[in-house]
Amino acid sequence: MNVAKSTSTDLAKDRSVMTKLMLSGIMILAGTFIYISSRKSVLFFDWIPSAVFEALRPFEIRGTSLPEYFVVYSLPDGLWYGALLSAQSAFLKNTFWSRCIFGFSILLPFVWEALQLCDGIAGTFDLMDLFAYTLALSIFLICLNNHQNYHEQK
């Protein structure tokens, strides 16, 4: 009986890890698609011919209204942050160093924006980025809490 219970627990854990990793991949791809398809110049992909990016832009978002600005400039960052949290939670262990690394990941974008605000690092401070990070973190924590509650009830 113990073998069957441990096997089903291991299977549920493996499914949980795979789900978190698949969600991370989807968030990375979605953020990258938005980033590439809505910007005139693509910082990390300047080695790819611009004709490729023109083909990937079925619509043009100028980022002139607040919702468009959020989608073009902040949502990709929030999606990438959510992917980081999801992927790291898949491998989170109940050890000191694992929790420290995870805590660092939680704080990373907020510290990054604060350093940009203080001219500590290059970049432009953006409140919308903070909103995207806060939204991603909130959704992540709600999902994590629901996941834990679900498994405690089983």
Side-chain angles (χ1 to χ4, degrees):
M1 185 84 164
N2 287 341
V3 172
K5 185 173 182 176
S6 91
T7 304
S8 67
T9 303
D10 291 342
L11 184 60
K13 188 176 181 180
D14 289 345
R15 282 187 190 147
S16 175
V17 168
M18 289 305 299
T19 301
K20 289 175 182 178
L21 293 177
M22 286 187 337
L23 284 173
S24 293
I26 291 168
M27 286 186 280
I28 288 170
L29 290 173
T32 302
F33 177 76
I34 293 168
Y35 184 82
I36 289 173
S37 67
S38 61
R39 301 216 181 167
K40 292 289 182 196
S41 63
V42 182
L43 181 64
F44 300 111
F45 300 103
D46 59 354
W47 51 274
I48 297 175
S50 62
V52 172
F53 293 113
E54 293 303 321
L56 291 173
R57 291 190 185 112
F59 53 89
E60 185 174 344
I61 301 174
R62 292 188 176 88
T64 53
S65 70
L66 190 59
E68 286 180 348
Y69 182 88
F70 178 77
V71 168
V72 171
Y73 296 106
S74 299
L75 185 58
D77 291 343
L79 288 166
W80 293 330
Y81 177 54
L84 171 69
L85 295 175
S86 181
Q88 285 198 322
S89 72
F91 301 106
L92 184 64
K93 304 230 184 306
N94 196 15
T95 65
F96 173 76
W97 288 113
S98 179
R99 298 222 178 253
C100 283
I101 292 168
F102 190 65
F104 174 78
S105 296
I106 289 173
L107 295 175
L108 178 67
F110 300 100
V111 171
W112 194 267
E113 287 294 322
L115 288 170
Q116 289 177 344
L117 178 64
C118 301
D119 292 327
I121 60 171
T124 304
F125 172 78
D126 190 351
L127 279 174
M128 291 299 282
D129 285 351
L130 284 178
F131 176 73
Y133 299 142
T134 303
L135 185 62
L137 180 59
S138 298
I139 292 169
F140 170 76
L141 292 175
I142 290 168
C143 291
L144 184 65
N145 186 46
N146 289 342
H147 179 76
Q148 288 174 342
N149 288 340
Y150 173 78
H151 285 289
E152 286 174 2
Q153 292 175 357
K154 280 183 106 177

